[in-house]
Amino acid sequence: MGRKTYEFGYRFGLQPGQPAYAHMENFIFSKTLQIEALSNQVHIEQVSIARIKEIAAKSQTDVYLCGGGAICRMASGQWIN
C-alpha cells in the first residue's frame, strides 16, 4: 500500500508502525514515510515494479495490493505476476 492509504488508517485507530492487516506482512511503499518503531510485519520501501514482482514471487499466498493509486498508475499496463 502507499503512504496515504496507510496513514488513512490512523483515523480509525491504526498506530504508526503497526500492521494495517495483522494477519499479513505489510509493505508500505513511500519515499517520505519515516516511523522509528516498526512491527516485524511492517516494511517501508521505495516503490518499484521489480520489488512488487519479487514480493509476489516469494509469497506463499496471494498478494493483496490495497490503495496505492500512484502504485497502480505506475504498474498499469504491466503484468505483476
Side-chain angles (χ1 to χ4, degrees):
M1 76 184 77
R3 175 191 54 81
K4 291 177 185 175
T5 301
Y6 184 74
E7 290 178 339
F8 182 75
Y10 298 169
R11 298 182 194 177
F12 302 95
L14 178 64
Q15 296 298 309
Q18 294 303 304
Y21 299 94
H23 62 291
M24 301 177 177
E25 290 291 310
N26 289 236
F27 292 88
I28 304 161
F29 294 102
S30 174
K31 296 176 186 174
T32 60
L33 184 63
Q34 295 181 4
I35 300 173
E36 290 184 25
L38 291 177
S39 162
N40 290 339
Q41 291 173 267
V42 177
H43 314 278
I44 300 174
E45 302 187 14
Q46 296 277 328
V47 66
S48 78
I49 295 300
R51 180 63 179 128
I52 294 170
K53 287 180 179 181
E54 181 182 347
I55 291 166
K58 290 182 179 180
S59 178
Q60 305 224 349
T61 62
D62 292 335
V63 174
Y64 174 54
L65 177 63
C66 69
I71 295 168
C72 291
R73 278 191 302 278
M74 187 176 88
S76 66
Q78 297 190 38
W79 184 250
I80 294 181
N81 264 344

